[in-house]
Amino acid sequence: MRVFDAPRELVFRAWTTPDLLARWWGPEGFTNTFHECDIRPDGEWRYTMHGPDGKDYPNYSVFADIVPQERVALDHKSGHEFRLTGIFEERGGRTKVTFRQKFKHAHEFEAARPYCEPGNQQNLDRLGKLLEELTPQA
């Protein structure tokens, strides 16, 4: 969970605009190449994450649920299977983002846990940096 000093509309846009999503998605040092990014229920998202170590990580997900300015949920189908949900709540001009990741199999969660938890925190850090760039200063 993280609270960002940005309006909910902007946070939702950062999650649902492919060019913006590509700028922050993934842990620190990763970049992305999006091959397909159809952000709508049942839309497919195929992309390759490029690690700082030079390795490529192909990913395939299907968007499960999109509620404008409230929620984005996707099912990650490649590698470890999980449902990732971003929930956006208005907090007086700021936005609380709840980032949930539920694995299909407990043993896959345990295998991914050592890199998943810090990676998700880095993911939210990168989102915060993008939101700072996009939010007009008073």
Side-chain angles (χ1 to χ4, degrees):
M1 191 281 300
R2 190 82 57 94
V3 177
F4 296 103
D5 193 16
R8 184 165 64 163
E9 178 181 298
L10 180 62
V11 177
F12 183 78
R13 188 164 46 103
W15 278 70
T16 58
T17 304
D19 291 345
L20 296 177
L21 184 60
R23 289 175 56 189
W24 67 270
W25 191 257
E28 188 64 39
F30 281 74
T31 59
N32 296 291
T33 300
F34 285 13
H35 310 290
E36 179 179 4
C37 190
D38 183 9
I39 303 176
R40 62 177 179 81
D42 296 322
E44 295 185 341
W45 183 22
R46 296 176 192 277
Y47 63 101
T48 302
M49 294 179 73
H50 310 287
D53 58 0
K55 290 174 102 177
D56 287 338
Y57 302 88
N59 284 268
Y60 171 64
S61 296
V62 175
F63 289 95
D65 186 32
I66 307 226
V67 179
Q69 298 187 42
E70 290 183 19
R71 180 176 55 251
V72 173
L74 61 90
D75 293 321
H76 187 266
K77 303 285 193 177
S78 56
H80 300 304
E81 291 186 58
F82 55 84
R83 160 85 41 109
L84 187 141
T85 305
I87 300 168
F88 316 107
E89 297 176 64
E90 176 67 31
R91 292 286 189 256
R94 302 176 81 201
T95 305
K96 176 183 173 185
V97 175
T98 303
F99 191 96
R100 292 188 178 144
Q101 191 172 12
K102 184 175 181 181
F103 282 75
K104 187 173 183 179
H105 304 288
H107 70 277
E108 289 186 353
F109 167 70
E110 292 304 327
R113 183 182 219 159
Y115 61 85
C116 196
E117 289 178 354
N120 286 343
Q121 291 298 326
Q122 292 170 21
N123 213 6
L124 291 172
D125 292 344
R126 292 181 68 192
L127 172 59
K129 289 176 188 171
L130 175 69
L131 293 169
E132 286 175 11
E133 291 175 26
L134 298 175
T135 302
Q137 302 302 312

